[in-house]
Amino acid sequence: MHHVLKIVIDTNVLVAALRSRAGWSFELLTQLDQGRYQPVVTVPLVMEYEDVLLRPGMVPVAPAAVTDILDYLCAMAVRQTVHFLWRPRLADVKDDMVLEAAVNGQCQCIVTWNLRDFAAASSLGIKVMTPQTFLNLNDLNQPERKQP
């Protein structure tokens, strides 16, 4: 039986994905529908995604397209209720929201470009990886596609 990894995607990965189609972040999003990993979201986390991605000049994507992308992400994700608050654990309260989603959703991994910000996650049994590391370790990348 195929085990689907549950992950939380940090906001910076979504920003990077919407800024460039050439990188690992975009590749992670293109593989959402393959069923090899399951993103987990909470209401506060989705609100954070929306707040950041809809800031003027943050991403070169029309607001309507950002909304469509977030709707698709939410449709593919496990929508997790937060039963226990784990705050404050990290220096940034917004990072605590990501960690909370991962803990409550029983995720194996947080995918982020800011590894140091999530150092405390390991004490809760959650791995923290960049999109590149996550895709490579889980053999999700497509070998014929060259990445930066």
Side-chain angles (χ1 to χ4, degrees), residues 30-58:
T30 64
Q31 294 187 21
L32 270 174
D33 64 349
Q34 294 182 12
R36 295 183 191 166
Y37 68 91
Q38 178 83 58
V40 172
V41 297
T42 61
V43 170
L45 184 58
V46 172
M47 292 174 67
E48 168 69 5
Y49 290 163
E50 188 174 68
D51 176 56
V52 172
L53 294 173
L54 291 174
R55 288 180 191 159
M58 181 60 71

Side-chain angles (χ1 to χ4, degrees), residues 9-20 25 29 49 52-53 58-61 113:
I9 301 170
D10 193 8
T11 310
N12 61 58
V13 173
L14 296 179
V15 170
L18 296 183
R19 285 185 176 172
S20 171
S25 296
L29 290 187
Y49 290 163
V52 172
L53 294 173
M58 181 60 71
V59 295
V61 178
W113 288 110

Side-chain angles (χ1 to χ4, degrees), residues 62-116:
V66 169
T67 300
D68 289 346
I69 292 164
L70 291 177
D71 287 349
Y72 178 69
L73 174 63
C74 289
M76 299 302 292
V78 171
R79 290 165 297 283
Q80 178 64 47
T81 303
V82 177
H83 298 287
F84 298 102
L85 298 179
W86 295 88
R87 301 177 196 188
R89 282 251 193 212
L90 307 174
D92 183 344
V93 70
K94 308 243 177 179
D95 292 337
D96 272 329
M97 277 193 301
V98 173
L99 181 60
E100 242 168 40
V103 171
N104 280 277
Q106 298 178 333
C107 295
Q108 290 81 17
C109 183
I110 294 171
V111 180
T112 182
W113 288 110
N114 297 329
L115 300 177
R116 281 185 276 150

